[in-house]
Amino acid sequence: MSTPVGIVLVSHSAELAAGLRLLVGQIGSDAVPVVTAAGTGDGRIGTSYELVLNAIEDADQGAGVVVLPDLGSSVLTTRTVLDDHPRPDVVIVDAPFVEGAVAAVVAAASGADLHTVVKSAEEARHVRKL
């Protein structure tokens, strides 16, 4: 199997991100690097530029990285990191946090390329629950 696309989960809450990482690990594959950047460096609620930057580096295995922020400042922080360190193989995705992460990890586990993983996460926005 080729190198999988990496996934970064950016959240205000370390517990939320850790729980989602556990979930996608159970339904995805251990082969997909899923890294969290959650909370602040000193353990508070919030987002951290350094944690996001480091998570992208940790998730990168050469096939690109999809970054899924939860809301608000996690989006702004991620966009700032990507503006400061532009890379065509790192993409922030506008998708629901849980559903988008699940779709991204399933696609990445199947060997999909970066474009397909991004599209899978984005399409999760349109999946109806009822």
Side-chain angles (χ1 to χ4, degrees), residues 15-33:
E15 292 85 1
L16 176 62
L20 181 53
R21 184 174 185 265
L22 180 62
L23 173 68
V24 298
Q26 291 173 347
I27 59 179
S29 167
D30 290 334
V32 176

Side-chain angles (χ1 to χ4, degrees), residues 36 52 96 105-106:
T36 63
V52 173
V105 169
V106 169

Side-chain angles (χ1 to χ4, degrees), residues 16-96:
L16 176 62
L20 181 53
R21 184 174 185 265
L22 180 62
L23 173 68
V24 298
Q26 291 173 347
I27 59 179
S29 167
D30 290 334
V32 176
V34 179
V35 181
T36 63
T40 62
D42 59 1
R44 293 176 293 124
I45 292 289
T47 56
S48 164
Y49 182 102
E50 290 78 20
L51 291 178
V52 173
L53 182 61
N54 292 337
I56 291 168
E57 292 173 8
D58 291 346
D60 186 10
Q61 294 189 353
V65 176
V66 169
V67 184
L68 288 131
D70 59 3
L71 50 92
S73 66
S74 68
V75 175
L76 298 174
T77 301
T78 300
R79 291 180 74 172
T80 300
V81 169
L82 296 180
D83 286 346
D84 290 349
H85 304 274
R87 291 179 43 187
D89 64 338
V90 178
V91 180
I92 185 173
V93 177
D94 182 12

